[in-house]
Amino acid sequence: MFSLAVDAMGGDGGPDVVVAGLALAADRHRGARVLLIGDEKRLRPILARHPKAAAICTVRHAPTAISMDMKPTAALRVRDSSLRMVMDAVAAGEAAGVVSAGNSGAMLALAKIVVKTLPGIARPAMAAISPSMKGDVVMLDLGANVACDTRNLVEFAVMGEAFAKAVLGLPAPSIGLLNVGAEEVKGDERLRQAAEVLRDSPLASQFHGFVEGHDITAGTTDVVVTDGFTGNVALKTGEGAMKMASGLFRQVFTSSMAGRLAYLLVRPALMRMKDWLDPRRYNGAVFVGLNGVVVKSHGGTDAQGFASAVDVAMDMVTHQFNDSIRERLAHMTTLTTSRPKMEAERQAAL
């Protein structure tokens, strides 16, 4: 069984970035076996320049590739693409996980149709790691599901907790539900019901309660759970704030001689901050809730960023991420299905 099936043709950089990233990852995962799927004629000379990547890779030819602008419905019909073939490898049990820097919509559609969701999971979610004042924080959903109900949010909490254990190495990650306020009476009915389910679940000791937007960067909890609409807005807002801050720093330190002198004094601290906030460290969004590990690298990343996505996938495979989810699901499903019935009975009694 291969550790990972890797789409060699995805992303802006294509095979050059993918193979260079695998060469970097090979040093950190010496026992990995990678099924590298793509245009064999293009891959062979690139692998020859990266012997570390060549040592862990087995190449399988794919005659076509999914373009970054292809619609998901069209991608589903292309059965000989590199993206389809990596999904097929996981579905057939050849590989434990997938890494691709390709088309996000096509990747999610193929993952749902080919890899399929875990038994007991209503919808897969997109999870990713972000920096905070206290360390790294896991956030989901980031756009896979615009509208979510109580059951979805509870399942996201289960998957987020398992993800934080596998990738961040936390023994008991704390969990928060993103809301408009921290008080128990805040939010809509689905959020309040999800909070009640989590308080009655095996995750009760790890459930912090409701958190607000500022708690994400404050690191109040290790896992932040929300619907895909809110999560995507929060993610893009955070990215925009980072770009604005970077631009303001550049403006301050280049606008005058005093600013340039000040930059020389604070440069070491700024370099440390830049390394800490480097988006390549956090590259690798994960579609959780599937019958296999599926990691989406940013399409415009470089080799270092792609290696980080491989790191995330290998951590999830090594720590048997899906087994952790299965252990929690049976009890959670009972709670989410019984609570509406109990609430209806209570209302009828009143």
Side-chain angles (χ1 to χ4, degrees):
M1 186 176 182
F2 291 97
S3 308
L4 299 174
V6 174
D7 173 16
M9 311 309 291
D12 300 339
D16 291 291
V17 167
V18 170
V19 174
L22 287 171
L24 294 175
D27 281 334
R28 301 192 284 268
H29 308 284
R30 295 185 182 277
R33 293 182 63 226
V34 174
L35 179 61
L36 185 62
I37 301 180
D39 185 341
E40 188 169 4
K41 287 185 178 179
R42 290 183 63 186
L43 286 172
R44 289 299 180 189
I46 301 172
L47 285 166
R49 298 196 299 269
H50 296 279
K52 290 183 179 180
I56 65 170
C57 288
T58 297
V59 176
R60 180 173 296 171
H61 179 65
T64 60
I66 300 297
S67 65
M68 296 299 280
D69 59 353
M70 183 179 288
K71 292 183 178 179
T73 50
L76 289 172
R77 295 193 292 269
V78 185
R79 294 183 174 271
D80 60 355
S81 71
S82 56
L83 186 55
R84 174 62 182 256
M85 289 174 65
V86 293
M87 297 294 180
D88 285 339
V90 172
E94 279 191 280
V98 163
V99 181
S100 175
N103 182 319
S104 298
M107 192 171 177
L108 179 57
L110 283 165
K112 286 181 177 180
I113 298 297
V114 179
V115 180
K116 297 183 172 57
T117 57
L118 282 168
I121 293 290
R123 300 179 186 177
M126 182 182 286
I129 302 170
S130 299
S132 78
M133 293 297 293
K134 295 182 180 179
D136 293 337
V137 58
V138 173
M139 191 168 176
L140 73 168
D141 180 24
L142 297 177
N145 306 281
V146 173
C148 299
D149 59 17
T150 295
R151 176 184 174 182
N152 300 142
L153 293 172
V154 172
E155 289 175 357
F156 295 170
V158 173
M159 296 187 289
E161 191 256 359
F163 182 71
K165 278 184 173 180
V167 179
L168 300 184
L170 301 174
S174 57
I175 303 163
L177 280 174
L178 190 61
N179 201 350
V180 294
E183 299 85 356
E184 290 186 12
V185 296
K186 291 291 183 72
D188 57 25
E189 188 64 21
R190 69 195 174 105
L191 274 169
R192 293 195 295 270
Q193 286 188 359
E196 289 178 13
V197 171
L198 290 169
R199 291 190 188 101
D200 290 339
S201 76
L203 294 175
S205 63
Q206 296 162 244
F207 181 53
H208 172 85
F210 294 137
V211 293
E212 300 179 65
H214 62 81
D215 289 306
I216 301 171
T217 51
T220 303
T221 60
D222 302 310
V223 179
V224 176
V225 176
T226 185
D227 60 81
F229 182 91
T230 308
N232 193 268
V233 170
L235 175 70
K236 299 295 174 59
T237 302
E239 290 175 348
M242 290 288 293
K243 289 179 180 178
M244 182 185 71
S246 177
L248 289 173
F249 273 124
R250 191 177 298 108
Q251 183 178 331
V252 167
F253 289 125
T254 60
S255 59
S256 66
M257 180 60 71
R260 286 190 283 273
L261 290 172
Y263 172 74
L264 294 176
L265 294 174
V266 301
R267 186 175 184 275
L270 287 175
M271 290 300 101
R272 287 196 299 272
M273 185 176 74
K274 181 182 178 182
D275 290 341
W276 178 45
L277 298 176
D278 188 343
R280 296 175 300 179
R281 287 187 60 223
Y282 302 97
N283 185 44
V286 182
F287 295 118
V288 292
L290 297 163
N291 269 311
V293 171
V294 179
V295 176
K296 169 70 174 74
S297 169
H298 194 286
T301 194
D302 60 8
Q304 186 176 331
F306 193 84
S308 295
V310 173
D311 289 342
V312 170
M314 284 300 300
D315 284 342
M316 294 174 72
V317 168
T318 302
H319 292 93
Q320 298 177 317
F321 169 72
N322 281 347
D323 289 344
S324 300
I325 295 176
R326 290 187 185 98
E327 290 174 6
R328 299 282 196 193
L329 276 179
H331 187 62
M332 292 295 194
T333 302
T334 301
L335 286 170
T336 52
T337 54
S338 64
R339 185 166 293 279
K341 181 180 178 181
M342 293 167 58
E343 181 64 21
E345 290 173 351
R346 187 182 72 83
Q347 292 294 335
L350 293 175

